[in-house]
Every structure is written in C-alpha cells, then in structure tokens.
PDB file of all heavy atoms in Angstrom:
ATOM      1  N   GLY A   1     109.384 119.120 118.439  1.00 90.00           N
ATOM      2  CA  GLY A   1     109.818 117.742 118.233  1.00 90.00           C
ATOM      3  C   GLY A   1     109.056 116.743 119.022  1.00 90.00           C
ATOM      4  O   GLY A   1     109.331 115.554 118.965  1.00 90.00           O
ATOM      5  N   GLU A   2     107.970 117.184 119.697  1.00 93.00           N
ATOM      6  CA  GLU A   2     107.110 116.246 120.482  1.00 93.00           C
ATOM      7  C   GLU A   2     106.087 115.577 119.512  1.00 93.00           C
ATOM      8  O   GLU A   2     105.578 116.168 118.609  1.00 93.00           O
ATOM      9  CB  GLU A   2     106.336 116.977 121.559  1.00 93.00           C
ATOM     10  CG  GLU A   2     107.269 117.700 122.537  1.00 93.00           C
ATOM     11  CD  GLU A   2     108.071 116.650 123.398  1.00 93.00           C
ATOM     12  OE1 GLU A   2     107.468 115.644 123.784  1.00 93.00           O
ATOM     13  OE2 GLU A   2     109.210 116.939 123.705  1.00 93.00           O
ATOM     14  N   ARG A   3     105.838 114.281 119.770  1.00 93.00           N
ATOM     15  CA  ARG A   3     104.840 113.578 118.962  1.00 93.00           C
ATOM     16  C   ARG A   3     103.398 114.095 119.199  1.00 93.00           C
ATOM     17  O   ARG A   3     103.015 114.352 120.302  1.00 93.00           O
ATOM     18  CB  ARG A   3     104.847 112.062 119.273  1.00 93.00           C
ATOM     19  CG  ARG A   3     106.048 111.400 118.810  1.00 93.00           C
ATOM     20  CD  ARG A   3     105.775 110.739 117.453  1.00 93.00           C
ATOM     21  NE  ARG A   3     106.985 109.982 117.068  1.00 93.00           N
ATOM     22  CZ  ARG A   3     107.373 109.880 115.851  1.00 93.00           C
ATOM     23  NH1 ARG A   3     106.717 110.410 114.892  1.00 93.00           N
ATOM     24  NH2 ARG A   3     108.434 109.231 115.555  1.00 93.00           N
ATOM     25  N   ILE A   4     102.654 114.208 118.162  1.00 92.00           N
ATOM     26  CA  ILE A   4     101.253 114.575 118.253  1.00 92.00           C
ATOM     27  C   ILE A   4     100.493 113.201 118.161  1.00 92.00           C
ATOM     28  O   ILE A   4     100.592 112.536 117.133  1.00 92.00           O
ATOM     29  CB  ILE A   4     100.818 115.509 117.139  1.00 92.00           C
ATOM     30  CG1 ILE A   4     101.656 116.786 117.163  1.00 92.00           C
ATOM     31  CG2 ILE A   4      99.335 115.813 117.192  1.00 92.00           C
ATOM     32  CD1 ILE A   4     101.480 117.735 115.973  1.00 92.00           C
ATOM     33  N   ALA A   5      99.745 112.890 119.191  1.00 91.00           N
ATOM     34  CA  ALA A   5      99.036 111.600 119.196  1.00 91.00           C
ATOM     35  C   ALA A   5      98.005 111.541 118.077  1.00 91.00           C
ATOM     36  O   ALA A   5      97.389 112.514 117.734  1.00 91.00           O
ATOM     37  CB  ALA A   5      98.348 111.457 120.547  1.00 91.00           C
ATOM     38  N   MET A   6      97.861 110.306 117.544  1.00 92.00           N
ATOM     39  CA  MET A   6      96.856 110.095 116.466  1.00 92.00           C
ATOM     40  C   MET A   6      95.510 109.919 117.080  1.00 92.00           C
ATOM     41  O   MET A   6      95.373 109.402 118.184  1.00 92.00           O
ATOM     42  CB  MET A   6      97.246 108.771 115.677  1.00 92.00           C
ATOM     43  CG  MET A   6      98.591 108.862 114.997  1.00 92.00           C
ATOM     44  SD  MET A   6      98.558 109.818 113.517  1.00 92.00           S
ATOM     45  CE  MET A   6      97.912 108.666 112.344  1.00 92.00           C
ATOM     46  N   ASP A   7      94.445 110.373 116.424  1.00 92.00           N
ATOM     47  CA  ASP A   7      93.099 110.279 116.874  1.00 92.00           C
ATOM     48  C   ASP A   7      92.400 109.009 116.489  1.00 92.00           C
ATOM     49  O   ASP A   7      91.299 108.704 116.884  1.00 92.00           O
ATOM     50  CB  ASP A   7      92.227 111.480 116.364  1.00 92.00           C
ATOM     51  CG  ASP A   7      92.676 112.809 117.003  1.00 92.00           C
ATOM     52  OD1 ASP A   7      93.087 112.797 118.176  1.00 92.00           O
ATOM     53  OD2 ASP A   7      92.553 113.806 116.308  1.00 92.00           O
ATOM     54  N   VAL A   8      93.089 108.203 115.611  1.00 94.00           N
ATOM     55  CA  VAL A   8      92.514 106.993 115.080  1.00 94.00           C
ATOM     56  C   VAL A   8      93.434 105.855 115.428  1.00 94.00           C
ATOM     57  O   VAL A   8      94.610 106.044 115.817  1.00 94.00           O
ATOM     58  CB  VAL A   8      92.265 107.020 113.573  1.00 94.00           C
ATOM     59  CG1 VAL A   8      91.221 108.079 113.235  1.00 94.00           C
ATOM     60  CG2 VAL A   8      93.588 107.289 112.888  1.00 94.00           C
ATOM     61  N   LYS A   9      92.876 104.636 115.363  1.00 94.00           N
ATOM     62  CA  LYS A   9      93.698 103.422 115.683  1.00 94.00           C
ATOM     63  C   LYS A   9      93.311 102.292 114.735  1.00 94.00           C
ATOM     64  O   LYS A   9      92.278 102.338 114.075  1.00 94.00           O
ATOM     65  CB  LYS A   9      93.501 103.005 117.175  1.00 94.00           C
ATOM     66  CG  LYS A   9      92.054 102.616 117.461  1.00 94.00           C
ATOM     67  CD  LYS A   9      91.835 102.343 118.949  1.00 94.00           C
ATOM     68  CE  LYS A   9      90.476 102.006 119.329  1.00 94.00           C
ATOM     69  NZ  LYS A   9      89.427 102.849 118.810  1.00 94.00           N
ATOM     70  N   ALA A  10      94.121 101.281 114.659  1.00 93.00           N
ATOM     71  CA  ALA A  10      93.831 100.098 113.770  1.00 93.00           C
ATOM     72  C   ALA A  10      92.510  99.532 114.259  1.00 93.00           C
ATOM     73  O   ALA A  10      92.173  99.389 115.376  1.00 93.00           O
ATOM     74  CB  ALA A  10      94.961  99.112 113.957  1.00 93.00           C
ATOM     75  N   GLY A  11      91.656  99.169 113.246  1.00 94.00           N
ATOM     76  CA  GLY A  11      90.343  98.618 113.504  1.00 94.00           C
ATOM     77  C   GLY A  11      89.220  99.613 113.409  1.00 94.00           C
ATOM     78  O   GLY A  11      88.054  99.223 113.284  1.00 94.00           O
ATOM     79  N   ASP A  12      89.508 100.924 113.442  1.00 94.00           N
ATOM     80  CA  ASP A  12      88.501 101.945 113.283  1.00 94.00           C
ATOM     81  C   ASP A  12      87.889 101.960 111.935  1.00 94.00           C
ATOM     82  O   ASP A  12      88.610 101.769 110.909  1.00 94.00           O
ATOM     83  CB  ASP A  12      89.080 103.301 113.584  1.00 94.00           C
ATOM     84  CG  ASP A  12      89.282 103.648 115.058  1.00 94.00           C
ATOM     85  OD1 ASP A  12      88.872 102.838 115.890  1.00 94.00           O
ATOM     86  OD2 ASP A  12      89.918 104.683 115.301  1.00 94.00           O
ATOM     87  N   ARG A  13      86.607 102.115 111.801  1.00 95.00           N
ATOM     88  CA  ARG A  13      85.871 102.305 110.553  1.00 95.00           C
ATOM     89  C   ARG A  13      85.831 103.761 110.269  1.00 95.00           C
ATOM     90  O   ARG A  13      85.349 104.526 111.113  1.00 95.00           O
ATOM     91  CB  ARG A  13      84.456 101.674 110.530  1.00 95.00           C
ATOM     92  CG  ARG A  13      84.543 100.153 110.463  1.00 95.00           C
ATOM     93  CD  ARG A  13      83.110  99.589 110.502  1.00 95.00           C
ATOM     94  NE  ARG A  13      82.330  99.994 109.338  1.00 95.00           N
ATOM     95  CZ  ARG A  13      81.839  99.158 108.447  1.00 95.00           C
ATOM     96  NH1 ARG A  13      82.008  97.840 108.674  1.00 95.00           N
ATOM     97  NH2 ARG A  13      81.119  99.574 107.429  1.00 95.00           N
ATOM     98  N   ILE A  14      86.313 104.186 109.102  1.00 94.00           N
ATOM     99  CA  ILE A  14      86.375 105.620 108.827  1.00 94.00           C
ATOM    100  C   ILE A  14      85.669 105.981 107.479  1.00 94.00           C
ATOM    101  O   ILE A  14      85.403 105.134 106.675  1.00 94.00           O
ATOM    102  CB  ILE A  14      87.864 106.022 108.746  1.00 94.00           C
ATOM    103  CG1 ILE A  14      88.564 105.284 107.637  1.00 94.00           C
ATOM    104  CG2 ILE A  14      88.494 105.905 110.053  1.00 94.00           C
ATOM    105  CD1 ILE A  14      89.890 105.881 107.237  1.00 94.00           C
ATOM    106  N   LEU A  15      85.382 107.282 107.328  1.00 93.00           N
ATOM    107  CA  LEU A  15      84.938 107.856 106.087  1.00 93.00           C
ATOM    108  C   LEU A  15      86.042 108.784 105.608  1.00 93.00           C
ATOM    109  O   LEU A  15      86.697 109.494 106.449  1.00 93.00           O
ATOM    110  CB  LEU A  15      83.660 108.663 106.295  1.00 93.00           C
ATOM    111  CG  LEU A  15      82.397 107.884 106.635  1.00 93.00           C
ATOM    112  CD1 LEU A  15      81.265 108.847 106.933  1.00 93.00           C
ATOM    113  CD2 LEU A  15      82.023 106.914 105.524  1.00 93.00           C
ATOM    114  N   PHE A  16      86.264 108.811 104.328  1.00 92.00           N
ATOM    115  CA  PHE A  16      87.352 109.654 103.737  1.00 92.00           C
ATOM    116  C   PHE A  16      86.852 110.233 102.431  1.00 92.00           C
ATOM    117  O   PHE A  16      85.875 109.802 101.860  1.00 92.00           O
ATOM    118  CB  PHE A  16      88.651 108.902 103.574  1.00 92.00           C
ATOM    119  CG  PHE A  16      88.527 107.596 102.828  1.00 92.00           C
ATOM    120  CD1 PHE A  16      88.567 107.511 101.470  1.00 92.00           C
ATOM    121  CD2 PHE A  16      88.348 106.416 103.577  1.00 92.00           C
ATOM    122  CE1 PHE A  16      88.425 106.274 100.835  1.00 92.00           C
ATOM    123  CE2 PHE A  16      88.230 105.203 102.922  1.00 92.00           C
ATOM    124  CZ  PHE A  16      88.303 105.121 101.582  1.00 92.00           C
ATOM    125  N   GLY A  17      87.544 111.289 102.012  1.00 88.00           N
ATOM    126  CA  GLY A  17      87.172 111.980 100.756  1.00 88.00           C
ATOM    127  C   GLY A  17      87.359 111.138  99.553  1.00 88.00           C
ATOM    128  O   GLY A  17      88.167 110.217  99.500  1.00 88.00           O
ATOM    129  N   LYS A  18      86.626 111.451  98.512  1.00 84.00           N
ATOM    130  CA  LYS A  18      86.650 110.680  97.249  1.00 84.00           C
ATOM    131  C   LYS A  18      88.094 110.630  96.609  1.00 84.00           C
ATOM    132  O   LYS A  18      88.408 109.580  96.073  1.00 84.00           O
ATOM    133  CB  LYS A  18      85.677 111.378  96.263  1.00 84.00           C
ATOM    134  CG  LYS A  18      85.370 110.602  95.063  1.00 84.00           C
ATOM    135  CD  LYS A  18      84.336 111.367  94.271  1.00 84.00           C
ATOM    136  CE  LYS A  18      83.495 110.405  93.461  1.00 84.00           C
ATOM    137  NZ  LYS A  18      82.357 111.029  92.850  1.00 84.00           N
ATOM    138  N   TRP A  19      88.868 111.654  96.721  1.00 85.00           N
ATOM    139  CA  TRP A  19      90.130 111.671  96.086  1.00 85.00           C
ATOM    140  C   TRP A  19      91.267 111.509  97.123  1.00 85.00           C
ATOM    141  O   TRP A  19      92.429 111.895  96.847  1.00 85.00           O
ATOM    142  CB  TRP A  19      90.292 112.962  95.291  1.00 85.00           C
ATOM    143  CG  TRP A  19      89.129 113.170  94.369  1.00 85.00           C
ATOM    144  CD1 TRP A  19      88.203 114.102  94.467  1.00 85.00           C
ATOM    145  CD2 TRP A  19      88.893 112.453  93.223  1.00 85.00           C
ATOM    146  NE1 TRP A  19      87.275 114.027  93.438  1.00 85.00           N
ATOM    147  CE2 TRP A  19      87.673 112.959  92.674  1.00 85.00           C
ATOM    148  CE3 TRP A  19      89.446 111.324  92.542  1.00 85.00           C
ATOM    149  CZ2 TRP A  19      87.118 112.462  91.480  1.00 85.00           C
ATOM    150  CZ3 TRP A  19      88.860 110.846  91.394  1.00 85.00           C
ATOM    151  CH2 TRP A  19      87.716 111.383  90.872  1.00 85.00           C
ATOM    152  N   SER A  20      90.943 111.020  98.270  1.00 88.00           N
ATOM    153  CA  SER A  20      91.997 110.901  99.384  1.00 88.00           C
ATOM    154  C   SER A  20      92.866 109.675  99.139  1.00 88.00           C
ATOM    155  O   SER A  20      92.511 108.686  98.561  1.00 88.00           O
ATOM    156  CB  SER A  20      91.326 110.682 100.695  1.00 88.00           C
ATOM    157  OG  SER A  20      90.554 111.759 101.049  1.00 88.00           O
ATOM    158  N   GLY A  21      94.110 109.793  99.562  1.00 90.00           N
ATOM    159  CA  GLY A  21      95.039 108.687  99.639  1.00 90.00           C
ATOM    160  C   GLY A  21      95.682 108.284  98.333  1.00 90.00           C
ATOM    161  O   GLY A  21      95.339 108.758  97.246  1.00 90.00           O
ATOM    162  N   ILE A  22      96.586 107.319  98.493  1.00 93.00           N
ATOM    163  CA  ILE A  22      97.303 106.719  97.384  1.00 93.00           C
ATOM    164  C   ILE A  22      97.077 105.238  97.405  1.00 93.00           C
ATOM    165  O   ILE A  22      97.252 104.611  98.506  1.00 93.00           O
ATOM    166  CB  ILE A  22      98.845 106.997  97.501  1.00 93.00           C
ATOM    167  CG1 ILE A  22      99.098 108.515  97.473  1.00 93.00           C
ATOM    168  CG2 ILE A  22      99.623 106.273  96.424  1.00 93.00           C
ATOM    169  CD1 ILE A  22     100.537 108.886  97.818  1.00 93.00           C
ATOM    170  N   GLU A  23      96.663 104.704  96.325  1.00 93.00           N
ATOM    171  CA  GLU A  23      96.354 103.245  96.289  1.00 93.00           C
ATOM    172  C   GLU A  23      97.684 102.459  96.050  1.00 93.00           C
ATOM    173  O   GLU A  23      98.500 102.824  95.280  1.00 93.00           O
ATOM    174  CB  GLU A  23      95.379 102.928  95.145  1.00 93.00           C
ATOM    175  CG  GLU A  23      94.026 103.549  95.359  1.00 93.00           C
ATOM    176  CD  GLU A  23      93.039 103.250  94.250  1.00 93.00           C
ATOM    177  OE1 GLU A  23      93.398 102.577  93.293  1.00 93.00           O
ATOM    178  OE2 GLU A  23      91.882 103.698  94.390  1.00 93.00           O
ATOM    179  N   ILE A  24      97.813 101.364  96.841  1.00 92.00           N
ATOM    180  CA  ILE A  24      98.964 100.516  96.766  1.00 92.00           C
ATOM    181  C   ILE A  24      98.475  99.075  96.730  1.00 92.00           C
ATOM    182  O   ILE A  24      97.355  98.806  97.135  1.00 92.00           O
ATOM    183  CB  ILE A  24      99.986 100.741  97.902  1.00 92.00           C
ATOM    184  CG1 ILE A  24      99.361 100.381  99.253  1.00 92.00           C
ATOM    185  CG2 ILE A  24     100.483 102.142  97.902  1.00 92.00           C
ATOM    186  CD1 ILE A  24     100.360 100.254 100.389  1.00 92.00           C
ATOM    187  N   LYS A  25      99.349  98.178  96.357  1.00 92.00           N
ATOM    188  CA  LYS A  25      99.047  96.729  96.420  1.00 92.00           C
ATOM    189  C   LYS A  25     100.172  96.177  97.367  1.00 92.00           C
ATOM    190  O   LYS A  25     101.298  96.315  97.153  1.00 92.00           O
ATOM    191  CB  LYS A  25      99.127  96.104  95.096  1.00 92.00           C
ATOM    192  CG  LYS A  25      98.670  94.645  95.097  1.00 92.00           C
ATOM    193  CD  LYS A  25      98.512  94.067  93.680  1.00 92.00           C
ATOM    194  CE  LYS A  25      97.247  94.492  93.096  1.00 92.00           C
ATOM    195  NZ  LYS A  25      96.159  93.627  92.882  1.00 92.00           N
ATOM    196  N   LEU A  26      99.702  95.502  98.475  1.00 89.00           N
ATOM    197  CA  LEU A  26     100.547  94.978  99.457  1.00 89.00           C
ATOM    198  C   LEU A  26     100.166  93.514  99.724  1.00 89.00           C
ATOM    199  O   LEU A  26      99.020  93.228 100.120  1.00 89.00           O
ATOM    200  CB  LEU A  26     100.496  95.818 100.725  1.00 89.00           C
ATOM    201  CG  LEU A  26     101.503  95.543 101.816  1.00 89.00           C
ATOM    202  CD1 LEU A  26     102.909  95.852 101.335  1.00 89.00           C
ATOM    203  CD2 LEU A  26     101.148  96.434 103.060  1.00 89.00           C
ATOM    204  N   ASP A  27     101.053  92.565  99.459  1.00 87.00           N
ATOM    205  CA  ASP A  27     100.766  91.119  99.597  1.00 87.00           C
ATOM    206  C   ASP A  27      99.518  90.774  98.818  1.00 87.00           C
ATOM    207  O   ASP A  27      98.756  89.968  99.244  1.00 87.00           O
ATOM    208  CB  ASP A  27     100.632  90.735 101.052  1.00 87.00           C
ATOM    209  CG  ASP A  27     101.855  90.811 101.827  1.00 87.00           C
ATOM    210  OD1 ASP A  27     102.992  90.740 101.206  1.00 87.00           O
ATOM    211  OD2 ASP A  27     101.801  90.916 103.077  1.00 87.00           O
ATOM    212  N   GLY A  28      99.352  91.358  97.613  1.00 89.00           N
ATOM    213  CA  GLY A  28      98.232  91.021  96.718  1.00 89.00           C
ATOM    214  C   GLY A  28      96.929  91.657  97.082  1.00 89.00           C
ATOM    215  O   GLY A  28      95.931  91.390  96.482  1.00 89.00           O
TER     216      GLY A  28
END
C-alpha cells in the first residue's frame, strides 16, 4: 500500500511509443 514515486515530473520532455496513450480533448 506504499506509494511508488514517479520518475517523471511536469515539464519533462519525453519520448513514447507510437501506439501509447489515449487521446483526449481538454479545454479545447
């Protein structure tokens, strides 16, 4: 039940896989 710290933070520039993630529209 202990939190595992994230290795990334807001503002980081990242590379991700071609089919990664879910696209959403937030505030246009």
Side-chain angles (χ1 to χ4, degrees):
E2 300 293 322
R3 288 266 182 215
I4 301 171
M6 299 283 279
D7 291 328
V8 295
K9 62 187 179 309
D12 284 350
R13 285 179 66 120
I14 60 166
L15 293 176
F16 49 87
K18 192 176 210 171
W19 308 109
S20 299
I22 298 169
E23 295 182 359
I24 65 166
K25 189 170 277 253
L26 191 62
D27 291 338

